[in-house]
């Protein structure tokens, strides 16, 4: 039984998986971290994790593995893994969550793909048909864009509007502007891969983007967890390339 942990900036995503697939997936705020053990239906035999939340969270995950007495594998940026080649100037500087998402994308789709993780930040990464990560973009997430306007512009509200192709009120203009900006970035990256590229959408804001995206796409729950699971299989078999 494999426990996958995606330690993001604000919350921990977790998934318990066996040979038949996911048994459980969930989300915890870090103050509730200790409740994770209680929520697991059975003890895992190993843990694989990625962390972009800092040293304190890394130590808590290590302590969890120690308390369960199970091996812990960390996924970090590397030159190659699971059929994906890292085109970053310094591969080790690529965020572990982006790297996991790329590995998950390659496991789920063999062709070219635009890998979009829409959370606190939105990352838009280009993965070609040969498995080369060509590079990508980091944008403020949809909620962060809206909050920045409300915080830094005196006459603009914290918008509670809706998407409109041509907004005619301020709240809708702010919400639609954030979505249009993100869609435009996705479409520009898609154009570098060709019209056959599939857009793989994941993250908490993916549902806001999907209805407005005029590209072939697939919504995937917890793409980072998919990548962690794939990496664990390769690590266990000794074939991580």
């Amino acid at each position: 039984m494999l426990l996958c942990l995606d330690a993001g900036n604000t919350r921990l995503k977790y998934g318990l998986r066996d040979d038949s697939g996911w048994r459980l997936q969930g989300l915890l705020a870090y103050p509730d971290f200790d409740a994770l053990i209680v929520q697991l239906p059975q003890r895992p035999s190993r843990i694989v994790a990625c962390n972009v939340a800092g040293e304190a969270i890394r130590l808590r995950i290590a302590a969890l593995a120690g308390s369960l007495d199970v091996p812990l594998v960390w996924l970090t940026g590397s030159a190659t893994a699971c059929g994906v080649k890292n085109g970053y100037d310094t591969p080790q500087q690529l965020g572990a969550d982006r790297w996991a998402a790329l590995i998950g994308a390659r496991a789920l789709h063999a062709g070219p793909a635009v890998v979009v993780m829409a959370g606190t930040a939105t990352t838009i990464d280009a993965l070609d048909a040969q498995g080369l990560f060509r590079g990508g973009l980091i944008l403020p997430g949809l909620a962060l864009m809206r909050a920045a306007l409300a915080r830094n512009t005196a006459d603009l509200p914290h918008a509670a509007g809706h998407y409109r192709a041509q907004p005619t009120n301020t709240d809708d203009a702010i919400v639609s502007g954030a979505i249009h900006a993100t869609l435009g970035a996705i479409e520009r990256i898609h154009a570098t891969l060709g019209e056959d590229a599939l857009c793989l959408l994941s993250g908490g804001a993916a549902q806001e983007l999907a209805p407005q995206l005029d590209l072939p796409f697939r919504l995937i729950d917890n793409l980072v967890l998919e990548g962690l699971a794939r990496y664990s299989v390769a690590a266990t078999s000794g074939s991580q390339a």
Side-chain angles (χ1 to χ4, degrees), residues 4 6 13-15 17 22 24-27 100-101 104-105 108 116-118 199-207 210 217-229:
C4 298
D6 170 19
K13 294 179 182 177
Y14 62 91
R17 185 182 179 97
W22 294 106
L24 175 73
Q25 290 187 350
L27 188 67
L108 295 171
V116 180
M117 297 296 300
C199 185
L200 301 180
L201 289 174
S202 192
Q207 295 284 352
F217 72 88
R218 180 179 170 189
L219 280 168
I220 300 171
D221 291 335
N222 296 322
L223 185 56
V224 171
L225 296 183
E226 295 287 348
L228 290 171

PDB file of all heavy atoms in Angstrom, residues 4 6 13-15 17 22 24-27 100-101 104-105 108 116-118 199-207 210 217-229:
ATOM      1  N   CYS A   4       0.901   8.563  -1.027  1.00  0.00           N
ATOM      2  CA  CYS A   4       1.488   9.666  -1.790  1.00  0.00           C
ATOM      3  C   CYS A   4       1.127  10.969  -1.100  1.00  0.00           C
ATOM      4  O   CYS A   4      -0.040  11.203  -0.770  1.00  0.00           O
ATOM      5  CB  CYS A   4       0.963   9.677  -3.228  1.00  0.00           C
ATOM      6  SG  CYS A   4       1.357   8.202  -4.184  1.00  0.00           S
ATOM      7  N   ASP A   6       1.553  15.205  -1.400  1.00  0.00           N
ATOM      8  CA  ASP A   6       1.887  16.406  -2.156  1.00  0.00           C
ATOM      9  C   ASP A   6       1.775  17.591  -1.209  1.00  0.00           C
ATOM     10  O   ASP A   6       0.679  18.079  -0.937  1.00  0.00           O
ATOM     11  CB  ASP A   6       0.926  16.552  -3.348  1.00  0.00           C
ATOM     12  CG  ASP A   6       1.042  17.905  -4.046  1.00  0.00           C
ATOM     13  OD1 ASP A   6       2.070  18.579  -3.870  1.00  0.00           O
ATOM     14  OD2 ASP A   6       0.098  18.269  -4.779  1.00  0.00           O
ATOM     15  N   LYS A  13      -2.072  17.462   0.062  1.00  0.00           N
ATOM     16  CA  LYS A  13      -2.909  16.496  -0.637  1.00  0.00           C
ATOM     17  C   LYS A  13      -2.316  15.115  -0.399  1.00  0.00           C
ATOM     18  O   LYS A  13      -1.095  14.944  -0.417  1.00  0.00           O
ATOM     19  CB  LYS A  13      -2.952  16.798  -2.132  1.00  0.00           C
ATOM     20  CG  LYS A  13      -3.643  18.099  -2.481  1.00  0.00           C
ATOM     21  CD  LYS A  13      -3.617  18.344  -3.984  1.00  0.00           C
ATOM     22  CE  LYS A  13      -4.273  19.671  -4.324  1.00  0.00           C
ATOM     23  NZ  LYS A  13      -4.209  19.969  -5.775  1.00  0.00           N
ATOM     24  N   TYR A  14      -3.197  14.140  -0.201  1.00  0.00           N
ATOM     25  CA  TYR A  14      -2.703  12.794   0.057  1.00  0.00           C
ATOM     26  C   TYR A  14      -3.541  11.778  -0.703  1.00  0.00           C
ATOM     27  O   TYR A  14      -4.706  12.023  -1.050  1.00  0.00           O
ATOM     28  CB  TYR A  14      -2.712  12.478   1.560  1.00  0.00           C
ATOM     29  CG  TYR A  14      -4.072  12.504   2.203  1.00  0.00           C
ATOM     30  CD1 TYR A  14      -4.845  11.347   2.287  1.00  0.00           C
ATOM     31  CD2 TYR A  14      -4.591  13.677   2.740  1.00  0.00           C
ATOM     32  CE1 TYR A  14      -6.104  11.360   2.882  1.00  0.00           C
ATOM     33  CE2 TYR A  14      -5.846  13.704   3.338  1.00  0.00           C
ATOM     34  CZ  TYR A  14      -6.589  12.547   3.402  1.00  0.00           C
ATOM     35  OH  TYR A  14      -7.831  12.562   3.979  1.00  0.00           O
ATOM     36  N   GLY A  15      -2.928  10.647  -0.991  1.00  0.00           N
ATOM     37  CA  GLY A  15      -3.631   9.567  -1.655  1.00  0.00           C
ATOM     38  C   GLY A  15      -3.068   8.232  -1.230  1.00  0.00           C
ATOM     39  O   GLY A  15      -1.855   8.082  -1.060  1.00  0.00           O
ATOM     40  N   ARG A  17      -2.909   4.259  -2.293  1.00  0.00           N
ATOM     41  CA  ARG A  17      -3.064   3.508  -3.533  1.00  0.00           C
ATOM     42  C   ARG A  17      -2.529   2.092  -3.368  1.00  0.00           C
ATOM     43  O   ARG A  17      -1.506   1.870  -2.716  1.00  0.00           O
ATOM     44  CB  ARG A  17      -2.296   4.217  -4.657  1.00  0.00           C
ATOM     45  CG  ARG A  17      -2.462   3.613  -6.043  1.00  0.00           C
ATOM     46  CD  ARG A  17      -1.616   4.385  -7.057  1.00  0.00           C
ATOM     47  NE  ARG A  17      -1.721   3.827  -8.389  1.00  0.00           N
ATOM     48  CZ  ARG A  17      -2.530   4.281  -9.340  1.00  0.00           C
ATOM     49  NH1 ARG A  17      -3.297   5.327  -9.098  1.00  0.00           N
ATOM     50  NH2 ARG A  17      -2.563   3.720 -10.525  1.00  0.00           N
ATOM     51  N   TRP A  22      -6.481   3.927  -6.780  1.00  0.00           N
ATOM     52  CA  TRP A  22      -6.594   4.773  -5.593  1.00  0.00           C
ATOM     53  C   TRP A  22      -7.681   4.251  -4.657  1.00  0.00           C
ATOM     54  O   TRP A  22      -8.815   4.048  -5.056  1.00  0.00           O
ATOM     55  CB  TRP A  22      -6.919   6.213  -5.992  1.00  0.00           C
ATOM     56  CG  TRP A  22      -5.812   6.869  -6.751  1.00  0.00           C
ATOM     57  CD1 TRP A  22      -5.781   7.141  -8.089  1.00  0.00           C
ATOM     58  CD2 TRP A  22      -4.557   7.315  -6.227  1.00  0.00           C
ATOM     59  NE1 TRP A  22      -4.594   7.725  -8.430  1.00  0.00           N
ATOM     60  CE2 TRP A  22      -3.819   7.844  -7.313  1.00  0.00           C
ATOM     61  CE3 TRP A  22      -3.987   7.323  -4.953  1.00  0.00           C
ATOM     62  CZ2 TRP A  22      -2.548   8.378  -7.155  1.00  0.00           C
ATOM     63  CZ3 TRP A  22      -2.711   7.848  -4.794  1.00  0.00           C
ATOM     64  CH2 TRP A  22      -2.006   8.370  -5.875  1.00  0.00           C
ATOM     65  N   LEU A  24      -8.096   5.997  -1.676  1.00  0.00           N
ATOM     66  CA  LEU A  24      -8.495   7.183  -0.922  1.00  0.00           C
ATOM     67  C   LEU A  24      -7.675   8.363  -1.405  1.00  0.00           C
ATOM     68  O   LEU A  24      -6.484   8.233  -1.700  1.00  0.00           O
ATOM     69  CB  LEU A  24      -8.213   6.945   0.578  1.00  0.00           C
ATOM     70  CG  LEU A  24      -8.436   8.096   1.545  1.00  0.00           C
ATOM     71  CD1 LEU A  24      -9.934   8.326   1.728  1.00  0.00           C
ATOM     72  CD2 LEU A  24      -7.783   7.788   2.898  1.00  0.00           C
ATOM     73  N   GLN A  25      -8.316   9.518  -1.522  1.00  0.00           N
ATOM     74  CA  GLN A  25      -7.616  10.774  -1.764  1.00  0.00           C
ATOM     75  C   GLN A  25      -8.252  11.845  -0.884  1.00  0.00           C
ATOM     76  O   GLN A  25      -9.453  11.802  -0.610  1.00  0.00           O
ATOM     77  CB  GLN A  25      -7.684  11.199  -3.235  1.00  0.00           C
ATOM     78  CG  GLN A  25      -6.871  10.316  -4.169  1.00  0.00           C
ATOM     79  CD  GLN A  25      -6.824  10.853  -5.589  1.00  0.00           C
ATOM     80  OE1 GLN A  25      -7.532  11.781  -5.952  1.00  0.00           O
ATOM     81  NE2 GLN A  25      -5.978  10.260  -6.410  1.00  0.00           N
ATOM     82  N   GLY A  26      -7.446  12.794  -0.445  1.00  0.00           N
ATOM     83  CA  GLY A  26      -7.988  13.828   0.416  1.00  0.00           C
ATOM     84  C   GLY A  26      -7.070  15.028   0.514  1.00  0.00           C
ATOM     85  O   GLY A  26      -5.996  15.087  -0.087  1.00  0.00           O
ATOM     86  N   LEU A  27      -7.513  15.999   1.324  1.00  0.00           N
ATOM     87  CA  LEU A  27      -6.838  17.286   1.452  1.00  0.00           C
ATOM     88  C   LEU A  27      -6.889  17.707   2.909  1.00  0.00           C
ATOM     89  O   LEU A  27      -7.928  17.594   3.561  1.00  0.00           O
ATOM     90  CB  LEU A  27      -7.565  18.311   0.575  1.00  0.00           C
ATOM     91  CG  LEU A  27      -6.962  19.688   0.371  1.00  0.00           C
ATOM     92  CD1 LEU A  27      -5.654  19.575  -0.426  1.00  0.00           C
ATOM     93  CD2 LEU A  27      -7.951  20.565  -0.395  1.00  0.00           C
ATOM     94  N   ALA A 100       6.555  16.318 -10.628  1.00  0.00           N
ATOM     95  CA  ALA A 100       5.627  15.203 -10.420  1.00  0.00           C
ATOM     96  C   ALA A 100       4.467  15.271 -11.406  1.00  0.00           C
ATOM     97  O   ALA A 100       4.028  14.242 -11.943  1.00  0.00           O
ATOM     98  CB  ALA A 100       5.105  15.207  -8.983  1.00  0.00           C
ATOM     99  N   ALA A 101       3.934  16.476 -11.646  1.00  0.00           N
ATOM    100  CA  ALA A 101       2.827  16.623 -12.590  1.00  0.00           C
ATOM    101  C   ALA A 101       3.243  16.225 -14.001  1.00  0.00           C
ATOM    102  O   ALA A 101       2.470  15.592 -14.736  1.00  0.00           O
ATOM    103  CB  ALA A 101       2.311  18.058 -12.574  1.00  0.00           C
ATOM    104  N   GLY A 104       3.379  12.476 -14.094  1.00  0.00           N
ATOM    105  CA  GLY A 104       2.013  11.968 -14.158  1.00  0.00           C
ATOM    106  C   GLY A 104       1.400  12.150 -15.526  1.00  0.00           C
ATOM    107  O   GLY A 104       0.720  11.260 -16.042  1.00  0.00           O
ATOM    108  N   ALA A 105       1.648  13.308 -16.150  1.00  0.00           N
ATOM    109  CA  ALA A 105       1.111  13.575 -17.483  1.00  0.00           C
ATOM    110  C   ALA A 105       1.658  12.578 -18.498  1.00  0.00           C
ATOM    111  O   ALA A 105       0.911  12.059 -19.343  1.00  0.00           O
ATOM    112  CB  ALA A 105       1.451  14.998 -17.901  1.00  0.00           C
ATOM    113  N   LEU A 108       0.004   9.210 -18.228  1.00  0.00           N
ATOM    114  CA  LEU A 108      -1.400   9.170 -18.641  1.00  0.00           C
ATOM    115  C   LEU A 108      -1.603   9.455 -20.126  1.00  0.00           C
ATOM    116  O   LEU A 108      -2.653   9.109 -20.674  1.00  0.00           O
ATOM    117  CB  LEU A 108      -2.205  10.178 -17.817  1.00  0.00           C
ATOM    118  CG  LEU A 108      -2.301   9.900 -16.319  1.00  0.00           C
ATOM    119  CD1 LEU A 108      -2.930  11.087 -15.601  1.00  0.00           C
ATOM    120  CD2 LEU A 108      -3.103   8.634 -16.050  1.00  0.00           C
ATOM    121  N   VAL A 116      -1.223  21.806 -17.094  1.00  0.00           N
ATOM    122  CA  VAL A 116      -1.682  22.997 -16.371  1.00  0.00           C
ATOM    123  C   VAL A 116      -2.067  22.604 -14.951  1.00  0.00           C
ATOM    124  O   VAL A 116      -2.957  21.780 -14.748  1.00  0.00           O
ATOM    125  CB  VAL A 116      -2.889  23.650 -17.077  1.00  0.00           C
ATOM    126  CG1 VAL A 116      -3.346  24.888 -16.302  1.00  0.00           C
ATOM    127  CG2 VAL A 116      -2.541  24.010 -18.513  1.00  0.00           C
ATOM    128  N   MET A 117      -1.388  23.212 -13.999  1.00  0.00           N
ATOM    129  CA  MET A 117      -1.720  23.048 -12.590  1.00  0.00           C
ATOM    130  C   MET A 117      -2.265  24.375 -12.098  1.00  0.00           C
ATOM    131  O   MET A 117      -1.530  25.359 -11.979  1.00  0.00           O
ATOM    132  CB  MET A 117      -0.475  22.646 -11.794  1.00  0.00           C
ATOM    133  CG  MET A 117       0.121  21.314 -12.203  1.00  0.00           C
ATOM    134  SD  MET A 117      -0.998  19.927 -11.904  1.00  0.00           S
ATOM    135  CE  MET A 117      -1.220  20.078 -10.135  1.00  0.00           C
ATOM    136  N   ALA A 118      -3.574  24.421 -11.827  1.00  0.00           N
ATOM    137  CA  ALA A 118      -4.252  25.667 -11.493  1.00  0.00           C
ATOM    138  C   ALA A 118      -4.569  25.698 -10.010  1.00  0.00           C
ATOM    139  O   ALA A 118      -5.590  25.172  -9.559  1.00  0.00           O
ATOM    140  CB  ALA A 118      -5.529  25.808 -12.322  1.00  0.00           C
ATOM    141  N   CYS A 199      -4.332  19.246 -23.646  1.00  0.00           N
ATOM    142  CA  CYS A 199      -4.177  20.029 -22.421  1.00  0.00           C
ATOM    143  C   CYS A 199      -4.654  19.191 -21.240  1.00  0.00           C
ATOM    144  O   CYS A 199      -5.803  18.739 -21.225  1.00  0.00           O
ATOM    145  CB  CYS A 199      -4.973  21.320 -22.530  1.00  0.00           C
ATOM    146  SG  CYS A 199      -4.740  22.419 -21.129  1.00  0.00           S
ATOM    147  N   LEU A 200      -3.771  18.963 -20.286  1.00  0.00           N
ATOM    148  CA  LEU A 200      -4.112  18.221 -19.076  1.00  0.00           C
ATOM    149  C   LEU A 200      -4.274  19.227 -17.941  1.00  0.00           C
ATOM    150  O   LEU A 200      -3.326  19.916 -17.564  1.00  0.00           O
ATOM    151  CB  LEU A 200      -3.016  17.211 -18.733  1.00  0.00           C
ATOM    152  CG  LEU A 200      -2.718  16.165 -19.814  1.00  0.00           C
ATOM    153  CD1 LEU A 200      -1.613  15.230 -19.356  1.00  0.00           C
ATOM    154  CD2 LEU A 200      -3.966  15.378 -20.166  1.00  0.00           C
ATOM    155  N   LEU A 201      -5.490  19.331 -17.419  1.00  0.00           N
ATOM    156  CA  LEU A 201      -5.837  20.325 -16.404  1.00  0.00           C
ATOM    157  C   LEU A 201      -6.003  19.666 -15.045  1.00  0.00           C
ATOM    158  O   LEU A 201      -6.710  18.674 -14.903  1.00  0.00           O
ATOM    159  CB  LEU A 201      -7.161  21.006 -16.755  1.00  0.00           C
ATOM    160  CG  LEU A 201      -7.220  21.981 -17.925  1.00  0.00           C
ATOM    161  CD1 LEU A 201      -8.664  22.408 -18.155  1.00  0.00           C
ATOM    162  CD2 LEU A 201      -6.353  23.190 -17.669  1.00  0.00           C
ATOM    163  N   SER A 202      -5.366  20.267 -14.030  1.00  0.00           N
ATOM    164  CA  SER A 202      -5.532  19.775 -12.678  1.00  0.00           C
ATOM    165  C   SER A 202      -5.439  20.952 -11.722  1.00  0.00           C
ATOM    166  O   SER A 202      -5.055  22.053 -12.102  1.00  0.00           O
ATOM    167  CB  SER A 202      -4.461  18.722 -12.359  1.00  0.00           C
ATOM    168  OG  SER A 202      -4.744  18.037 -11.160  1.00  0.00           O
ATOM    169  N   GLY A 203      -5.816  20.743 -10.479  1.00  0.00           N
ATOM    170  CA  GLY A 203      -5.755  21.797  -9.480  1.00  0.00           C
ATOM    171  C   GLY A 203      -7.130  22.357  -9.147  1.00  0.00           C
ATOM    172  O   GLY A 203      -8.113  22.133  -9.862  1.00  0.00           O
ATOM    173  N   GLY A 204      -7.190  23.104  -8.063  1.00  0.00           N
ATOM    174  CA  GLY A 204      -8.458  23.572  -7.540  1.00  0.00           C
ATOM    175  C   GLY A 204      -9.219  24.504  -8.453  1.00  0.00           C
ATOM    176  O   GLY A 204     -10.452  24.581  -8.373  1.00  0.00           O
ATOM    177  N   ALA A 205      -8.529  25.231  -9.330  1.00  0.00           N
ATOM    178  CA  ALA A 205      -9.202  26.174 -10.232  1.00  0.00           C
ATOM    179  C   ALA A 205      -9.411  25.608 -11.628  1.00  0.00           C
ATOM    180  O   ALA A 205      -9.884  26.330 -12.512  1.00  0.00           O
ATOM    181  CB  ALA A 205      -8.416  27.472 -10.312  1.00  0.00           C
ATOM    182  N   ALA A 206      -9.084  24.349 -11.828  1.00  0.00           N
ATOM    183  CA  ALA A 206      -9.216  23.760 -13.170  1.00  0.00           C
ATOM    184  C   ALA A 206     -10.650  23.804 -13.674  1.00  0.00           C
ATOM    185  O   ALA A 206     -10.899  24.012 -14.865  1.00  0.00           O
ATOM    186  CB  ALA A 206      -8.695  22.320 -13.159  1.00  0.00           C
ATOM    187  N   GLN A 207     -11.613  23.635 -12.764  1.00  0.00           N
ATOM    188  CA  GLN A 207     -13.024  23.628 -13.165  1.00  0.00           C
ATOM    189  C   GLN A 207     -13.471  24.991 -13.675  1.00  0.00           C
ATOM    190  O   GLN A 207     -14.419  25.078 -14.466  1.00  0.00           O
ATOM    191  CB  GLN A 207     -13.897  23.202 -11.983  1.00  0.00           C
ATOM    192  CG  GLN A 207     -13.666  21.774 -11.508  1.00  0.00           C
ATOM    193  CD  GLN A 207     -14.304  20.742 -12.436  1.00  0.00           C
ATOM    194  OE1 GLN A 207     -15.037  21.076 -13.351  1.00  0.00           O
ATOM    195  NE2 GLN A 207     -14.006  19.481 -12.197  1.00  0.00           N
ATOM    196  N   ALA A 210     -11.785  25.086 -17.470  1.00  0.00           N
ATOM    197  CA  ALA A 210     -12.171  24.081 -18.465  1.00  0.00           C
ATOM    198  C   ALA A 210     -13.321  24.507 -19.371  1.00  0.00           C
ATOM    199  O   ALA A 210     -13.232  24.332 -20.596  1.00  0.00           O
ATOM    200  CB  ALA A 210     -12.487  22.760 -17.765  1.00  0.00           C
ATOM    201  N   PHE A 217      -8.849  18.960 -24.161  1.00  0.00           N
ATOM    202  CA  PHE A 217      -8.353  18.919 -22.787  1.00  0.00           C
ATOM    203  C   PHE A 217      -8.918  17.711 -22.057  1.00  0.00           C
ATOM    204  O   PHE A 217      -9.908  17.096 -22.461  1.00  0.00           O
ATOM    205  CB  PHE A 217      -8.697  20.203 -22.031  1.00  0.00           C
ATOM    206  CG  PHE A 217     -10.151  20.356 -21.677  1.00  0.00           C
ATOM    207  CD1 PHE A 217     -10.656  19.828 -20.491  1.00  0.00           C
ATOM    208  CD2 PHE A 217     -11.024  21.019 -22.519  1.00  0.00           C
ATOM    209  CE1 PHE A 217     -11.998  19.951 -20.165  1.00  0.00           C
ATOM    210  CE2 PHE A 217     -12.373  21.155 -22.204  1.00  0.00           C
ATOM    211  CZ  PHE A 217     -12.846  20.624 -21.018  1.00  0.00           C
ATOM    212  N   ARG A 218      -8.266  17.430 -20.942  1.00  0.00           N
ATOM    213  CA  ARG A 218      -8.697  16.363 -20.044  1.00  0.00           C
ATOM    214  C   ARG A 218      -8.514  16.843 -18.615  1.00  0.00           C
ATOM    215  O   ARG A 218      -7.425  17.326 -18.246  1.00  0.00           O
ATOM    216  CB  ARG A 218      -7.873  15.095 -20.292  1.00  0.00           C
ATOM    217  CG  ARG A 218      -8.234  13.913 -19.398  1.00  0.00           C
ATOM    218  CD  ARG A 218      -7.379  12.709 -19.760  1.00  0.00           C
ATOM    219  NE  ARG A 218      -7.522  11.633 -18.798  1.00  0.00           N
ATOM    220  CZ  ARG A 218      -6.764  10.535 -18.767  1.00  0.00           C
ATOM    221  NH1 ARG A 218      -5.823  10.375 -19.694  1.00  0.00           N
ATOM    222  NH2 ARG A 218      -6.939   9.603 -17.846  1.00  0.00           N
ATOM    223  N   LEU A 219      -9.552  16.772 -17.829  1.00  0.00           N
ATOM    224  CA  LEU A 219      -9.476  17.110 -16.413  1.00  0.00           C
ATOM    225  C   LEU A 219      -8.974  15.905 -15.622  1.00  0.00           C
ATOM    226  O   LEU A 219      -9.475  14.793 -15.799  1.00  0.00           O
ATOM    227  CB  LEU A 219     -10.840  17.526 -15.883  1.00  0.00           C
ATOM    228  CG  LEU A 219     -11.291  18.958 -16.170  1.00  0.00           C
ATOM    229  CD1 LEU A 219     -12.766  19.113 -15.841  1.00  0.00           C
ATOM    230  CD2 LEU A 219     -10.470  19.961 -15.376  1.00  0.00           C
ATOM    231  N   ILE A 220      -7.995  16.121 -14.774  1.00  0.00           N
ATOM    232  CA  ILE A 220      -7.407  15.030 -14.001  1.00  0.00           C
ATOM    233  C   ILE A 220      -7.352  15.441 -12.535  1.00  0.00           C
ATOM    234  O   ILE A 220      -6.757  16.477 -12.197  1.00  0.00           O
ATOM    235  CB  ILE A 220      -5.992  14.680 -14.503  1.00  0.00           C
ATOM    236  CG1 ILE A 220      -6.044  14.247 -15.967  1.00  0.00           C
ATOM    237  CG2 ILE A 220      -5.375  13.588 -13.639  1.00  0.00           C
ATOM    238  CD1 ILE A 220      -4.704  14.092 -16.598  1.00  0.00           C
ATOM    239  N   ASP A 221      -7.963  14.665 -11.679  1.00  0.00           N
ATOM    240  CA  ASP A 221      -7.870  14.915 -10.248  1.00  0.00           C
ATOM    241  C   ASP A 221      -6.455  14.606  -9.764  1.00  0.00           C
ATOM    242  O   ASP A 221      -5.911  13.535 -10.053  1.00  0.00           O
ATOM    243  CB  ASP A 221      -8.863  14.038  -9.471  1.00  0.00           C
ATOM    244  CG  ASP A 221     -10.298  14.443  -9.711  1.00  0.00           C
ATOM    245  OD1 ASP A 221     -10.536  15.619 -10.058  1.00  0.00           O
ATOM    246  OD2 ASP A 221     -11.186  13.574  -9.574  1.00  0.00           O
ATOM    247  N   ASN A 222      -5.843  15.555  -9.081  1.00  0.00           N
ATOM    248  CA  ASN A 222      -4.583  15.295  -8.377  1.00  0.00           C
ATOM    249  C   ASN A 222      -3.493  14.702  -9.278  1.00  0.00           C
ATOM    250  O   ASN A 222      -2.988  13.601  -9.039  1.00  0.00           O
ATOM    251  CB  ASN A 222      -4.843  14.382  -7.178  1.00  0.00           C
ATOM    252  CG  ASN A 222      -5.728  15.039  -6.147  1.00  0.00           C
ATOM    253  OD1 ASN A 222      -5.614  16.238  -5.890  1.00  0.00           O
ATOM    254  ND2 ASN A 222      -6.635  14.269  -5.555  1.00  0.00           N
ATOM    255  N   LEU A 223      -3.138  15.454 -10.309  1.00  0.00           N
ATOM    256  CA  LEU A 223      -2.109  14.990 -11.242  1.00  0.00           C
ATOM    257  C   LEU A 223      -0.772  14.781 -10.550  1.00  0.00           C
ATOM    258  O   LEU A 223      -0.006  13.880 -10.918  1.00  0.00           O
ATOM    259  CB  LEU A 223      -1.970  15.998 -12.388  1.00  0.00           C
ATOM    260  CG  LEU A 223      -1.020  15.638 -13.522  1.00  0.00           C
ATOM    261  CD1 LEU A 223      -1.377  14.295 -14.149  1.00  0.00           C
ATOM    262  CD2 LEU A 223      -1.001  16.752 -14.573  1.00  0.00           C
ATOM    263  N   VAL A 224      -0.479  15.593  -9.549  1.00  0.00           N
ATOM    264  CA  VAL A 224       0.781  15.417  -8.815  1.00  0.00           C
ATOM    265  C   VAL A 224       0.813  14.054  -8.133  1.00  0.00           C
ATOM    266  O   VAL A 224       1.844  13.356  -8.155  1.00  0.00           O
ATOM    267  CB  VAL A 224       0.976  16.553  -7.795  1.00  0.00           C
ATOM    268  CG1 VAL A 224       2.163  16.250  -6.874  1.00  0.00           C
ATOM    269  CG2 VAL A 224       1.197  17.877  -8.517  1.00  0.00           C
ATOM    270  N   LEU A 225      -0.300  13.646  -7.531  1.00  0.00           N
ATOM    271  CA  LEU A 225      -0.345  12.324  -6.899  1.00  0.00           C
ATOM    272  C   LEU A 225      -0.137  11.220  -7.928  1.00  0.00           C
ATOM    273  O   LEU A 225       0.525  10.205  -7.636  1.00  0.00           O
ATOM    274  CB  LEU A 225      -1.674  12.123  -6.167  1.00  0.00           C
ATOM    275  CG  LEU A 225      -1.974  13.048  -4.988  1.00  0.00           C
ATOM    276  CD1 LEU A 225      -3.302  12.660  -4.333  1.00  0.00           C
ATOM    277  CD2 LEU A 225      -0.848  13.041  -3.959  1.00  0.00           C
ATOM    278  N   GLU A 226      -0.692  11.398  -9.132  1.00  0.00           N
ATOM    279  CA  GLU A 226      -0.470  10.410 -10.195  1.00  0.00           C
ATOM    280  C   GLU A 226       1.020  10.291 -10.514  1.00  0.00           C
ATOM    281  O   GLU A 226       1.544   9.193 -10.705  1.00  0.00           O
ATOM    282  CB  GLU A 226      -1.237  10.812 -11.453  1.00  0.00           C
ATOM    283  CG  GLU A 226      -2.750  10.812 -11.318  1.00  0.00           C
ATOM    284  CD  GLU A 226      -3.348   9.411 -11.263  1.00  0.00           C
ATOM    285  OE1 GLU A 226      -2.626   8.431 -11.548  1.00  0.00           O
ATOM    286  OE2 GLU A 226      -4.543   9.304 -10.935  1.00  0.00           O
ATOM    287  N   GLY A 227       1.708  11.424 -10.582  1.00  0.00           N
ATOM    288  CA  GLY A 227       3.138  11.394 -10.846  1.00  0.00           C
ATOM    289  C   GLY A 227       3.933  10.754  -9.731  1.00  0.00           C
ATOM    290  O   GLY A 227       4.885  10.006  -9.979  1.00  0.00           O
ATOM    291  N   LEU A 228       3.544  11.038  -8.490  1.00  0.00           N
ATOM    292  CA  LEU A 228       4.234  10.417  -7.359  1.00  0.00           C
ATOM    293  C   LEU A 228       4.069   8.901  -7.380  1.00  0.00           C
ATOM    294  O   LEU A 228       5.025   8.153  -7.109  1.00  0.00           O
ATOM    295  CB  LEU A 228       3.702  10.991  -6.050  1.00  0.00           C
ATOM    296  CG  LEU A 228       4.078  12.437  -5.744  1.00  0.00           C
ATOM    297  CD1 LEU A 228       3.309  12.938  -4.527  1.00  0.00           C
ATOM    298  CD2 LEU A 228       5.579  12.577  -5.513  1.00  0.00           C
ATOM    299  N   ALA A 229       2.864   8.433  -7.693  1.00  0.00           N
ATOM    300  CA  ALA A 229       2.630   6.994  -7.758  1.00  0.00           C
ATOM    301  C   ALA A 229       3.477   6.358  -8.851  1.00  0.00           C
ATOM    302  O   ALA A 229       4.071   5.289  -8.651  1.00  0.00           O
ATOM    303  CB  ALA A 229       1.145   6.716  -8.002  1.00  0.00           C
TER     304      ALA A 229
END
